[in-house]
């Protein structure tokens, strides 16, 4: 998506060859007009696939995911991060390790909000190592739901996230695909 690529070039900041800061328009301050256009792109790409719910992982995925759900006229489910296992029969949980942030958490889904009749679109801000989305897929499988595809704002194509997901049979739709970057240069695929 040209608009997102242009905004990354204008306001994104590559901290090094691996990490892109997007704090002024996606992650910390959010540009609602840009997010709304990104959401329209996701919605038109995935429309007509029988999707019943949009699912995201807290917290930075929430703004594009909410606007996508709004555009598609379906609910949004936010997978929560808990610091440790919660003993509760009504929850599914799975451990996630974030390589970028060096943290572990239990991704959590209530049995009340996703079930076997759901066909889900996963939306997130970044696709890096694909650990978060893979964990989301594990939870959705525990709930016997199916996955229609994965939409991300920014894919760091030099990391293995896409390969992991496509090898598992999922369609990945990224609005901006970064092939490489350094402090003074960002290149898109
Ligand atoms: P994954 O998301 O593909 O599994 O990869 P990884 O475990 O490496 O990334 C974990 C967290 O780091 C995610 O945020 C992800 O959005 C974020 N992240 C990955 N690469 C970048 C980057 O280049 N720039 C920025 N700004 N973030 C990146 P999270 O832990 O889910 O937290 P949140 O920001 O959604 O709250």
């Amino acid at each position: 998506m040209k608009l997102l690529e242009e905004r990354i070039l204008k306001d994104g900041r590559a901290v090094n060859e691996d990490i892109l800061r997007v704090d002024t328009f996606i992650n910390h301050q959010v540009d609602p007009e840009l997010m709304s256009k990104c959401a329209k792109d996701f919605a038109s790409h995935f429309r007509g696939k029988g999707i019943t719910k949009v699912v995201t992982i807290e917290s930075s995925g929430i703004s594009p995911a909410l606007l996508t759900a709004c555009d598609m006229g379906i609910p949004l489910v936010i997978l929560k991060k808990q610091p440790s296992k919660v003993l509760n029969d009504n929850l599914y949980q799975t451990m996630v390790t974030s390589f970028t942030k060096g943290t572990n958490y239990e991704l959590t889904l209530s049995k009340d909000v996703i079930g076997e009749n759901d066909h889900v679109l996963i939306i997130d801000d970044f696709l890096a190592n694909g650990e978060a989305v893979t964990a989301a897929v594990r939870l959705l499988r525990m709930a016997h739901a199916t996955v229609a595809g994965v939409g991300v704002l920014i894919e760091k194509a030099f990391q293995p996230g896409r390969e992991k997901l496509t090898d598992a049979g999922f369609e990945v739709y990224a609005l901006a695909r970064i092939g490489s970057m350094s402090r003074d240069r960002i290149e898109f695929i």
Side-chain angles (χ1 to χ4, degrees):
M1 187 198 195
K2 199 106 203 97
L3 194 69
L4 181 59
E5 288 184 358
E6 283 168 1
R7 188 60 179 272
I8 292 168
L9 290 177
K10 181 171 164 276
D11 291 332
R13 197 164 62 77
V15 178
N16 51 37
E17 292 182 353
D18 294 321
I19 300 292
L20 176 70
R21 308 256 338 222
V22 290
D23 290 355
T24 58
F25 57 110
I26 294 177
N27 269 339
H28 191 25
Q29 173 170 262
V30 180
D31 179 338
E33 205 174 312
L34 176 67
M35 285 306 105
S36 171
K37 286 176 179 157
C38 291
K40 282 197 171 24
D41 193 324
F42 285 136
S44 75
H45 182 84
F46 285 103
R47 215 182 298 282
K49 294 186 192 282
I51 293 167
T52 59
K53 284 177 189 169
V54 174
V55 165
T56 193
I57 300 147
E58 67 174 356
S59 56
S60 306
I62 294 175
S63 45
L66 174 63
L67 293 166
T68 304
C70 192
D71 221 72
M72 296 178 88
I74 54 179
L76 166 67
V77 172
I78 301 164
L79 302 178
K80 310 264 192 174
K81 294 172 181 168
Q82 305 276 355
S84 59
K85 270 233 169 326
V86 178
L87 289 175
N88 181 334
D89 285 349
N90 207 41
L91 295 178
Y92 300 111
Q93 286 195 304
T94 188
M95 165 80 90
V96 186
T97 299
S98 163
F99 294 108
T100 305
K101 297 193 172 170
T103 53
N104 289 325
Y105 57 87
E106 292 283 342
L107 198 63
T108 304
L109 168 66
S110 161
K111 292 182 181 176
D112 293 335
V113 294
I114 296 276
E116 60 187 1
N117 295 323
D118 283 313
H119 192 46
V120 166
L121 169 61
I122 300 174
I123 296 285
D124 210 353
D125 57 341
F126 273 94
L127 178 62
N129 293 296
E131 288 301 309
V133 174
T134 304
V137 169
R138 280 200 300 279
L139 285 183
L140 293 166
R141 284 196 171 136
M142 289 179 202
H144 304 288
T146 51
V147 176
V150 179
V152 293
L153 296 174
I154 303 171
E155 173 192 345
K156 293 190 294 180
F158 51 88
Q159 290 186 255
R162 173 181 287 269
E163 201 180 343
K164 252 185 228 172
L165 295 171
T166 51
D167 283 355
F170 301 113
E171 182 199 351
V172 176
Y173 181 61
L175 300 189
R177 303 186 67 202
I178 297 177
S180 66
M181 62 185 186
S182 60
R183 287 176 74 122
D184 53 6
R185 180 190 50 86
I186 297 172
E187 279 180 11
F188 297 102
I189 295 177

